[in-house]
Amino acid sequence: MATNETDPRTVLDKATGAVQDAAEAVQKTTESIASAIDDSRRPGGVLDQVTRITRESPLRSLAIAFIVGWIVARRR
């Protein structure tokens, strides 16, 4: 006879609850990140400035991105 903790239904209920909690956390995080991205795309925001600079001088932006990537890769 199975005890209450090893009962398959109890284990399944706990696992289902954990998955639902994780799904809610992912949903909230996704909404938060999407909101931050939308805010930074507004005129004067960080992404708006990066987009503008990249359009004005794409080769310089590419060179900076390459150098930053190289520095980050060297540290690891």
Side-chain angles (χ1 to χ4, degrees):
M1 181 174 199
T3 63
N4 194 20
E5 289 183 13
T6 59
D7 182 27
R9 290 182 187 156
T10 304
V11 173
L12 181 61
D13 289 341
K14 288 181 182 179
T16 302
V19 169
Q20 288 174 345
D21 291 344
E24 289 175 10
V26 168
Q27 181 72 26
K28 288 179 184 178
T29 303
T30 303
E31 290 172 359
S32 173
I33 291 171
S35 174
I37 290 172
D38 288 341
D39 289 344
S40 67
R41 283 187 178 169
R42 292 190 177 133
V46 175
L47 286 179
D48 179 54
Q49 292 176 1
V50 170
T51 301
R52 184 178 41 80
I53 291 169
T54 303
R55 286 184 181 150
E56 290 174 0
S57 55
L59 290 178
R60 182 184 301 166
S61 299
L62 181 63
I64 291 171
F66 177 78
I67 291 170
V68 169
W70 182 72
I71 291 170
V72 170
R74 297 262 311 172
R75 288 187 177 205
R76 293 180 182 209

Coordinates of all heavy atoms in Angstrom, one line a residue:
M1 N 0.8 -1.2 0.0 CA 0.0 0.0 0.0 C 0.9 1.2 0.0 O 1.8 1.3 0.7 CB -0.9 0.0 1.2 CG -1.8 1.1 1.3 SD -2.9 0.8 2.7 CE -4.2 2.0 2.2
A2 N 0.6 2.2 -0.9 CA 1.4 3.4 -1.0 C 1.1 4.4 0.1 O -0.1 4.6 0.4 CB 1.1 4.0 -2.4
T3 N 2.1 5.0 0.6 CA 1.9 6.1 1.6 C 1.4 7.3 0.9 O 1.5 7.4 -0.4 CB 3.2 6.4 2.4 OG1 4.2 6.8 1.5 CG2 3.6 5.1 3.1
N4 N 1.0 8.3 1.6 CA 0.5 9.5 1.0 C 1.6 10.3 0.2 O 1.3 10.9 -0.8 CB -0.1 10.5 2.1 CG -0.9 11.6 1.6 OD1 -1.4 11.5 0.4 ND2 -1.1 12.6 2.3
E5 N 2.9 10.2 0.7 CA 3.9 11.0 0.0 C 4.3 10.2 -1.3 O 4.9 10.9 -2.2 CB 5.1 11.1 0.9 CG 4.8 12.1 2.0 CD 6.1 12.3 2.8 OE1 7.2 11.9 2.5 OE2 5.9 13.0 3.9
T6 N 4.2 8.9 -1.4 CA 4.6 8.2 -2.6 C 3.4 7.9 -3.5 O 3.6 7.2 -4.5 CB 5.4 6.9 -2.2 OG1 4.5 6.1 -1.4 CG2 6.6 7.2 -1.4
D7 N 2.3 8.3 -3.1 CA 1.1 8.1 -4.0 C 1.3 8.8 -5.3 O 1.6 10.0 -5.3 CB -0.2 8.6 -3.3 CG -1.4 8.3 -4.1 OD1 -1.5 7.4 -4.8 OD2 -2.4 9.1 -3.9
P8 N 1.2 8.1 -6.4 CA 1.4 8.7 -7.7 C 0.6 10.0 -8.0 O 1.0 10.9 -8.6 CB 1.1 7.6 -8.7 CG 1.2 6.3 -8.0 CD 0.9 6.7 -6.6
R9 N -0.6 10.0 -7.5 CA -1.5 11.2 -7.7 C -0.9 12.4 -6.9 O -1.0 13.5 -7.4 CB -2.9 10.9 -7.2 CG -3.6 9.9 -8.1 CD -5.0 9.7 -7.7 NE -5.6 8.6 -8.5 CZ -6.6 7.8 -8.1 NH1 -7.2 8.0 -6.9 NH2 -7.1 6.9 -8.9
T10 N -0.5 12.2 -5.7 CA 0.1 13.2 -4.9 C 1.4 13.8 -5.6 O 1.6 15.0 -5.7 CB 0.4 12.8 -3.5 OG1 -0.8 12.2 -2.9 CG2 0.9 13.9 -2.6
V11 N 2.2 12.9 -6.0 CA 3.4 13.3 -6.7 C 3.1 14.1 -8.0 O 3.7 15.1 -8.3 CB 4.3 12.1 -7.0 CG1 5.5 12.5 -7.9 CG2 4.8 11.4 -5.7
L12 N 2.1 13.6 -8.7 CA 1.7 14.3 -10.0 C 1.1 15.6 -9.7 O 1.4 16.6 -10.4 CB 0.7 13.4 -10.7 CG 0.2 14.0 -12.0 CD1 1.4 14.2 -13.0 CD2 -0.9 13.1 -12.6
D13 N 0.3 15.8 -8.6 CA -0.2 17.1 -8.2 C 0.9 18.0 -7.9 O 0.8 19.2 -8.2 CB -1.2 16.9 -7.1 CG -2.5 16.2 -7.5 OD1 -2.8 16.2 -8.7 OD2 -3.2 15.7 -6.6
K14 N 1.9 17.6 -7.1 CA 3.0 18.5 -6.7 C 3.8 18.9 -8.0 O 4.1 20.1 -8.1 CB 3.9 17.7 -5.7 CG 3.3 17.6 -4.4 CD 4.3 16.9 -3.4 CE 3.7 16.7 -2.1 NZ 4.7 16.0 -1.2
A15 N 4.0 18.0 -8.9 CA 4.8 18.3 -10.1 C 4.0 19.3 -10.9 O 4.5 20.2 -11.5 CB 5.1 17.0 -10.9
T16 N 2.7 19.0 -11.1 CA 1.8 19.9 -11.8 C 1.9 21.3 -11.3 O 2.0 22.3 -12.0 CB 0.4 19.4 -11.9 OG1 0.4 18.1 -12.5 CG2 -0.5 20.3 -12.7
G17 N 1.8 21.4 -10.0 CA 1.8 22.7 -9.3 C 3.1 23.4 -9.5 O 3.2 24.7 -9.8
A18 N 4.2 22.7 -9.5 CA 5.6 23.3 -9.7 C 5.7 23.8 -11.1 O 6.3 24.9 -11.4 CB 6.6 22.2 -9.4
V19 N 5.2 23.0 -12.1 CA 5.3 23.4 -13.5 C 4.4 24.7 -13.7 O 4.8 25.6 -14.4 CB 4.8 22.3 -14.4 CG1 4.6 22.7 -15.8 CG2 5.9 21.1 -14.3
Q20 N 3.3 24.7 -13.1 CA 2.4 25.9 -13.3 C 3.1 27.1 -12.6 O 3.0 28.2 -13.2 CB 1.0 25.7 -12.6 CG 0.2 24.7 -13.4 CD -1.1 24.3 -12.7 OE1 -1.3 24.6 -11.5 NE2 -2.0 23.7 -13.5
D21 N 3.7 27.0 -11.5 CA 4.4 28.1 -10.9 C 5.5 28.6 -11.7 O 5.8 29.8 -11.9 CB 4.9 27.7 -9.5 CG 3.8 27.5 -8.5 OD1 2.7 27.9 -8.7 OD2 4.1 26.9 -7.4
A22 N 6.3 27.6 -12.3 CA 7.4 28.0 -13.2 C 6.9 28.7 -14.5 O 7.5 29.7 -14.9 CB 8.2 26.8 -13.6
A23 N 5.8 28.2 -15.0 CA 5.2 28.8 -16.2 C 4.7 30.3 -15.9 O 4.9 31.2 -16.7 CB 4.0 28.0 -16.7
E24 N 4.2 30.5 -14.7 CA 3.7 31.8 -14.4 C 4.9 32.8 -14.2 O 4.9 33.9 -14.6 CB 2.9 31.8 -13.1 CG 1.5 31.2 -13.2 CD 0.8 31.0 -11.9 OE1 1.3 31.6 -10.9 OE2 -0.2 30.4 -11.9
A25 N 6.0 32.2 -13.6 CA 7.2 33.0 -13.4 C 7.8 33.4 -14.8 O 8.2 34.6 -15.0 CB 8.2 32.3 -12.6
V26 N 7.8 32.5 -15.7 CA 8.4 32.8 -17.0 C 7.5 33.8 -17.7 O 8.0 34.7 -18.4 CB 8.5 31.5 -17.9 CG1 8.7 31.7 -19.3 CG2 9.5 30.5 -17.3
Q27 N 6.2 33.7 -17.6 CA 5.3 34.6 -18.2 C 5.5 36.0 -17.7 O 5.6 37.0 -18.5 CB 3.8 34.2 -18.0 CG 2.8 35.1 -18.6 CD 2.7 35.0 -20.1 OE1 3.1 33.9 -20.7 NE2 2.3 36.0 -20.8
K28 N 5.6 36.2 -16.4 CA 5.8 37.5 -15.8 C 7.2 38.1 -16.2 O 7.3 39.3 -16.5 CB 5.8 37.4 -14.3 CG 4.4 37.2 -13.7 CD 4.4 37.0 -12.2 CE 3.0 36.7 -11.7 NZ 3.0 36.6 -10.2
T29 N 8.2 37.2 -16.3 CA 9.5 37.7 -16.7 C 9.5 38.1 -18.1 O 10.1 39.2 -18.5 CB 10.6 36.6 -16.5 OG1 10.5 36.2 -15.1 CG2 11.9 37.1 -16.9
T30 N 8.8 37.4 -19.0 CA 8.7 37.7 -20.4 C 8.0 39.1 -20.6 O 8.4 39.9 -21.4 CB 8.0 36.6 -21.2 OG1 8.7 35.4 -21.0 CG2 7.9 36.9 -22.6
E31 N 6.9 39.3 -19.8 CA 6.2 40.5 -19.9 C 7.0 41.7 -19.5 O 7.0 42.8 -20.0 CB 4.9 40.4 -19.1 CG 3.9 39.5 -19.7 CD 2.7 39.3 -18.8 OE1 2.6 39.8 -17.7 OE2 1.7 38.5 -19.2
S32 N 7.8 41.5 -18.4 CA 8.7 42.5 -17.9 C 9.8 42.9 -18.9 O 10.0 44.1 -19.1 CB 9.3 42.0 -16.6 OG 10.3 43.0 -16.1
I33 N 10.4 41.9 -19.5 CA 11.4 42.2 -20.5 C 10.8 42.9 -21.7 O 11.4 43.8 -22.2 CB 12.1 40.9 -20.9 CG1 12.9 40.4 -19.7 CG2 13.0 41.1 -22.1 CD1 13.5 39.0 -19.9
A34 N 9.7 42.4 -22.2 CA 9.0 43.0 -23.3 C 8.7 44.5 -23.0 O 8.9 45.4 -23.9 CB 7.8 42.2 -23.7
S35 N 8.2 44.8 -21.8 CA 7.9 46.1 -21.4 C 9.2 47.0 -21.4 O 9.2 48.1 -21.9 CB 7.3 46.1 -20.1 OG 7.1 47.4 -19.6
A36 N 10.3 46.5 -20.9 CA 11.5 47.2 -20.9 C 12.0 47.5 -22.3 O 12.5 48.6 -22.6 CB 12.6 46.4 -20.1
I37 N 11.9 46.5 -23.2 CA 12.3 46.7 -24.6 C 11.5 47.8 -25.3 O 12.0 48.7 -26.0 CB 12.3 45.4 -25.4 CG1 13.4 44.5 -24.9 CG2 12.4 45.6 -26.9 CD1 13.3 43.1 -25.4
D38 N 10.2 47.7 -25.0 CA 9.3 48.7 -25.6 C 9.6 50.1 -25.1 O 9.6 51.1 -25.9 CB 7.8 48.4 -25.3 CG 7.3 47.2 -26.1 OD1 8.0 46.8 -27.1 OD2 6.3 46.6 -25.7
D39 N 9.9 50.2 -23.8 CA 10.2 51.5 -23.2 C 11.5 52.1 -23.8 O 11.6 53.3 -24.1 CB 10.4 51.4 -21.7 CG 9.0 51.2 -21.0 OD1 8.0 51.5 -21.7 OD2 9.1 50.8 -19.8
S40 N 12.5 51.2 -24.1 CA 13.8 51.7 -24.6 C 13.7 52.0 -26.1 O 14.6 52.6 -26.6 CB 14.9 50.7 -24.3 OG 14.7 49.5 -25.0
R41 N 12.7 51.5 -26.8 CA 12.5 51.8 -28.2 C 11.9 53.1 -28.5 O 11.9 53.6 -29.6 CB 11.7 50.7 -28.9 CG 12.5 49.5 -29.1 CD 11.7 48.5 -29.9 NE 12.5 47.3 -30.2 CZ 12.1 46.2 -30.7 NH1 10.8 46.0 -31.0 NH2 12.9 45.1 -30.9
R42 N 11.3 53.7 -27.4 CA 10.7 55.0 -27.6 C 11.7 56.1 -27.9 O 12.9 55.9 -27.6 CB 9.9 55.4 -26.3 CG 8.7 54.5 -26.1 CD 7.9 55.0 -25.0 NE 6.7 54.2 -24.9 CZ 6.2 53.7 -23.7 NH1 6.8 54.0 -22.6 NH2 5.2 52.9 -23.7
P43 N 11.4 57.2 -28.6 CA 12.3 58.2 -28.9 C 13.1 58.6 -27.7 O 12.6 58.9 -26.6 CB 11.5 59.3 -29.5 CG 10.3 58.7 -30.0 CD 10.0 57.5 -29.1
G44 N 14.5 58.6 -27.8 CA 15.3 59.0 -26.8 C 15.8 57.8 -25.9 O 16.7 58.0 -25.1
G45 N 15.2 56.7 -26.1 CA 15.5 55.5 -25.3 C 16.9 54.9 -25.8 O 17.4 55.3 -26.8
V46 N 17.4 54.0 -25.0 CA 18.7 53.4 -25.3 C 18.7 52.7 -26.7 O 19.6 52.9 -27.5 CB 19.1 52.4 -24.2 CG1 20.4 51.7 -24.6 CG2 19.2 53.1 -22.9
L47 N 17.7 51.8 -26.9 CA 17.6 51.1 -28.2 C 17.4 52.1 -29.4 O 18.0 51.8 -30.5 CB 16.6 50.0 -28.2 CG 16.9 48.8 -27.4 CD1 15.7 47.8 -27.5 CD2 18.1 48.1 -27.9
D48 N 16.7 53.1 -29.2 CA 16.5 54.1 -30.2 C 17.8 54.8 -30.6 O 18.1 55.0 -31.7 CB 15.5 55.2 -29.8 CG 15.2 56.2 -30.8 OD1 14.9 55.9 -32.0 OD2 15.4 57.4 -30.5
Q49 N 18.6 55.1 -29.6 CA 19.9 55.7 -29.8 C 20.9 54.8 -30.5 O 21.6 55.2 -31.4 CB 20.5 56.2 -28.5 CG 19.7 57.4 -27.9 CD 20.3 57.8 -26.5 OE1 21.2 57.2 -26.0 NE2 19.6 58.8 -25.9
V50 N 20.9 53.5 -30.0 CA 21.8 52.5 -30.7 C 21.4 52.3 -32.1 O 22.2 52.2 -33.0 CB 21.7 51.2 -29.9 CG1 22.4 50.1 -30.7 CG2 22.3 51.4 -28.5
T51 N 20.1 52.2 -32.4 CA 19.6 52.1 -33.8 C 20.0 53.3 -34.6 O 20.5 53.1 -35.8 CB 18.1 51.9 -33.8 OG1 17.7 50.8 -33.0 CG2 17.5 51.8 -35.2
R52 N 19.9 54.5 -34.1 CA 20.2 55.7 -34.9 C 21.7 55.7 -35.1 O 22.1 55.9 -36.3 CB 19.8 56.9 -34.1 CG 20.1 58.2 -34.8 CD 19.6 59.4 -34.0 NE 19.9 59.3 -32.6 CZ 21.0 59.6 -32.0 NH1 22.1 60.0 -32.8 NH2 21.2 59.6 -30.7
I53 N 22.5 55.4 -34.1 CA 24.0 55.4 -34.3 C 24.4 54.3 -35.3 O 25.3 54.6 -36.2 CB 24.7 55.2 -33.0 CG1 24.5 56.4 -32.1 CG2 26.2 54.9 -33.2 CD1 24.9 56.2 -30.7
T54 N 23.8 53.2 -35.3 CA 24.1 52.1 -36.2 C 23.8 52.4 -37.6 O 24.5 52.1 -38.5 CB 23.4 50.8 -35.8 OG1 23.8 50.5 -34.4 CG2 23.8 49.6 -36.7
R55 N 22.7 53.1 -37.8 CA 22.3 53.5 -39.2 C 23.2 54.6 -39.7 O 23.5 54.7 -40.9 CB 20.8 54.0 -39.2 CG 19.9 52.9 -39.1 CD 18.5 53.3 -39.2 NE 17.5 52.2 -39.0 CZ 16.3 52.3 -38.5 NH1 15.9 53.5 -38.2 NH2 15.6 51.2 -38.4
E56 N 23.7 55.5 -38.8 CA 24.6 56.6 -39.3 C 26.0 56.1 -39.6 O 26.6 56.6 -40.6 CB 24.6 57.6 -38.2 CG 23.4 58.4 -38.0 CD 23.4 59.4 -36.8 OE1 24.5 59.4 -36.1 OE2 22.4 60.1 -36.6
S57 N 26.5 55.1 -38.8 CA 27.8 54.6 -39.1 C 27.9 53.1 -38.8 O 28.4 52.7 -37.8 CB 28.8 55.4 -38.2 OG 28.5 55.3 -36.9
P58 N 27.5 52.3 -39.8 CA 27.4 50.9 -39.6 C 28.8 50.2 -39.4 O 28.9 49.3 -38.6 CB 26.7 50.4 -40.8 CG 26.8 51.4 -41.8 CD 26.9 52.7 -41.1
L59 N 29.8 50.7 -40.1 CA 31.1 50.1 -40.0 C 31.7 50.3 -38.6 O 32.3 49.4 -38.0 CB 32.1 50.5 -41.1 CG 31.7 50.0 -42.5 CD1 32.7 50.6 -43.5 CD2 31.7 48.5 -42.5
R60 N 31.6 51.5 -38.1 CA 32.1 51.8 -36.8 C 31.4 51.0 -35.7 O 32.0 50.4 -34.8 CB 31.9 53.3 -36.5 CG 32.5 53.6 -35.1 CD 32.2 55.1 -34.7 NE 32.8 56.0 -35.7 CZ 32.6 57.2 -35.8 NH1 31.7 57.8 -35.0 NH2 33.1 58.0 -36.8
S61 N 30.0 50.8 -35.9 CA 29.3 50.0 -35.0 C 29.7 48.6 -35.0 O 29.8 47.9 -34.0 CB 27.8 50.1 -35.3 OG 27.4 51.5 -35.1
L62 N 29.9 48.1 -36.2 CA 30.4 46.7 -36.4 C 31.8 46.5 -35.7 O 32.0 45.5 -35.0 CB 30.4 46.3 -37.8 CG 30.9 44.9 -38.2 CD1 29.9 43.9 -37.6 CD2 31.0 44.7 -39.7
A63 N 32.6 47.4 -35.9 CA 34.0 47.3 -35.3 C 33.9 47.3 -33.8 O 34.6 46.6 -33.1 CB 34.9 48.5 -35.8
I64 N 33.1 48.2 -33.2 CA 32.9 48.3 -31.8 C 32.3 47.0 -31.2 O 32.8 46.4 -30.2 CB 32.0 49.5 -31.4 CG1 32.8 50.8 -31.6 CG2 31.6 49.4 -29.9 CD1 31.9 52.0 -31.5
A65 N 31.3 46.4 -31.9 CA 30.7 45.2 -31.5 C 31.7 44.0 -31.6 O 31.8 43.2 -30.7 CB 29.5 44.8 -32.4
F66 N 32.6 44.0 -32.6 CA 33.6 43.0 -32.7 C 34.6 43.1 -31.6 O 35.0 42.1 -30.9 CB 34.3 43.1 -34.1 CG 35.5 42.2 -34.2 CD1 35.2 40.8 -34.5 CD2 36.8 42.6 -34.0 CE1 36.2 39.9 -34.7 CE2 37.8 41.7 -34.2 CZ 37.5 40.3 -34.5
I67 N 35.1 44.3 -31.3 CA 36.0 44.5 -30.2 C 35.4 44.1 -28.8 O 36.1 43.4 -28.0 CB 36.5 46.0 -30.2 CG1 37.4 46.2 -31.4 CG2 37.3 46.3 -28.9 CD1 37.7 47.6 -31.7
V68 N 34.2 44.5 -28.6 CA 33.6 44.1 -27.3 C 33.4 42.6 -27.2 O 33.7 42.0 -26.2 CB 32.2 44.9 -27.2 CG1 31.4 44.3 -26.0 CG2 32.4 46.3 -27.0
G69 N 33.0 42.0 -28.3 CA 32.9 40.5 -28.3 C 34.2 39.8 -28.0 O 34.3 38.9 -27.3
W70 N 35.3 40.4 -28.7 CA 36.6 39.8 -28.5 C 37.1 40.0 -27.0 O 37.6 39.0 -26.4 CB 37.6 40.6 -29.4 CG 39.0 40.0 -29.4 CD1 39.4 38.8 -29.8 CD2 40.1 40.7 -28.8 NE1 40.8 38.7 -29.6 CE2 41.2 39.9 -28.9 CE3 40.3 41.9 -28.1 CZ2 42.5 40.2 -28.5 CZ3 41.5 42.3 -27.7 CH2 42.6 41.4 -27.9
I71 N 36.8 41.1 -26.4 CA 37.2 41.3 -25.0 C 36.4 40.4 -24.1 O 37.0 39.8 -23.2 CB 37.0 42.8 -24.6 CG1 37.9 43.7 -25.3 CG2 37.1 43.0 -23.1 CD1 37.7 45.2 -25.2
V72 N 35.2 40.2 -24.3 CA 34.4 39.3 -23.5 C 34.8 37.9 -23.7 O 35.0 37.1 -22.7 CB 32.9 39.5 -23.8 CG1 32.1 38.4 -23.2 CG2 32.3 40.8 -23.4
A73 N 35.1 37.5 -24.9 CA 35.6 36.1 -25.1 C 37.0 35.9 -24.5 O 37.2 34.8 -24.0 CB 35.6 35.9 -26.6
R74 N 37.8 36.9 -24.5 CA 39.2 36.7 -23.9 C 39.1 36.5 -22.4 O 39.9 35.8 -21.8 CB 40.0 37.9 -24.2 CG 40.3 38.1 -25.7 CD 41.6 37.5 -26.1 NE 42.7 38.0 -25.3 CZ 43.9 37.5 -25.4 NH1 44.2 36.6 -26.3 NH2 44.9 37.9 -24.6
R75 N 38.1 37.1 -21.7 CA 38.0 37.0 -20.3 C 37.5 35.6 -19.8 O 37.7 35.2 -18.7 CB 37.1 38.1 -19.8 CG 37.7 39.4 -19.8 CD 36.8 40.4 -19.1 NE 37.4 41.7 -19.2 CZ 37.2 42.7 -18.3 NH1 36.3 42.5 -17.4 NH2 37.8 43.8 -18.4
R76 N 36.9 34.9 -20.7 CA 36.3 33.6 -20.4 C 37.4 32.6 -20.7 O 37.7 31.7 -20.6 CB 35.0 33.3 -21.1 CG 34.0 34.3 -20.6 CD 32.7 34.0 -21.3 NE 31.7 35.0 -20.8 CZ 30.5 34.8 -20.7 NH1 30.0 33.7 -21.1 NH2 29.7 35.7 -20.3

